[in-house]
Amino acid sequence: QTFARTLQADDHRLWCQGLEEFAQTQIAEKGDYPLRQAQITAWTGLADQRVGLIQGPPGTGKTYVLSWMALGYLQARRAAGLPCRILVNAFTLNAIANLLDAVQSKSTRYLPSPPDVLYLGSQPGGGLNPAIRHISFRQRDATAEAWEALESDHLIVGCSVWALNKLLR
């Protein structure tokens, strides 16, 4: 709880900039689907938190808005000359892979320099986009490789709670 509430000085401003100056601008310029009011409310509602939970039934746009949130915040911090490492998690491996795939696709389309996108853990049943770096803990020296990857200044990483537990042990 303490970690979730402990923001750095500019986090609120940068989080909102990610929405207003990056996501909404890029969506309008490229003619992508606009964010719905509920998605904007979810985005702004997380502005004062370091950790958030987005839930909803299938087809409500969770993956869409979460991929924009990750890229928007990363881009705002990058523009401010700050590092940004984002961890995403979900109830299933396929949901994590789908979100990382959406992040990878958007970063290729909307950013001049895409961030590193990393998946840690067992291969999801639905597969993984080949552009996403995958580190399986079944590989030799996987933990060291994962910690080295986490040194990147701009990174979006997805994993299950079990993979995170393996990494932290």
Side-chain angles (χ1 to χ4, degrees):
Q1 289 177 346
T2 302
F3 172 81
R5 289 192 196 103
T6 310
L7 294 179
Q8 295 187 10
D10 286 340
D11 279 347
H12 179 96
R13 180 182 58 80
L14 292 170
W15 182 257
C16 293
Q17 260 183 310
L19 169 64
E20 297 158 7
E21 296 178 19
F22 178 72
Q24 289 180 320
T25 301
Q26 290 297 318
I27 288 169
E29 285 178 11
K30 300 273 201 289
D32 214 333
Y33 294 107
L35 296 170
R36 293 188 323 274
Q37 187 56 52
Q39 292 169 319
I40 293 169
T41 299
W43 191 315
T44 58
L46 292 173
D48 292 324
Q49 301 293 320
R50 291 178 74 185
V51 175
L53 173 66
I54 302 289
Q55 281 186 298
T60 55
K62 297 176 300 294
T63 300
Y64 187 73
V65 72
L66 285 168
S67 61
W68 276 113
M69 285 178 181
L71 287 178
Y73 184 60
L74 184 135
Q75 190 59 19
R77 287 189 60 88
R78 182 185 276 173
L82 299 169
C84 185
R85 294 172 197 94
I86 296 171
L87 172 67
V88 297
N89 187 265
F91 288 114
T92 69
L93 300 182
N94 284 334
I96 297 165
N98 289 341
L99 177 54
L100 292 180
D101 185 43
V103 165
Q104 181 67 43
S105 297
K106 282 182 182 64
S107 67
T108 302
R109 182 171 183 204
Y110 295 102
L111 297 176
S113 176
D116 293 330
V117 179
L118 173 65
Y119 177 88
L120 297 175
S122 300
Q123 178 83 8
L128 198 59
N129 179 327
I132 296 169
R133 183 174 173 192
H134 177 210
I135 298 174
S136 169
F137 288 107
R138 293 180 182 162
Q139 297 168 214
R140 184 178 173 100
D141 298 327
T143 302
E145 184 181 351
W147 280 109
E148 183 179 319
L150 292 172
E151 292 294 320
S152 175
D153 280 344
H154 301 103
L155 173 72
I156 299 173
V157 60
C159 66
S160 69
V161 294
W162 303 112
L164 183 60
N165 184 42
K166 285 180 186 177
L167 180 66
L168 293 176
R169 277 190 291 157

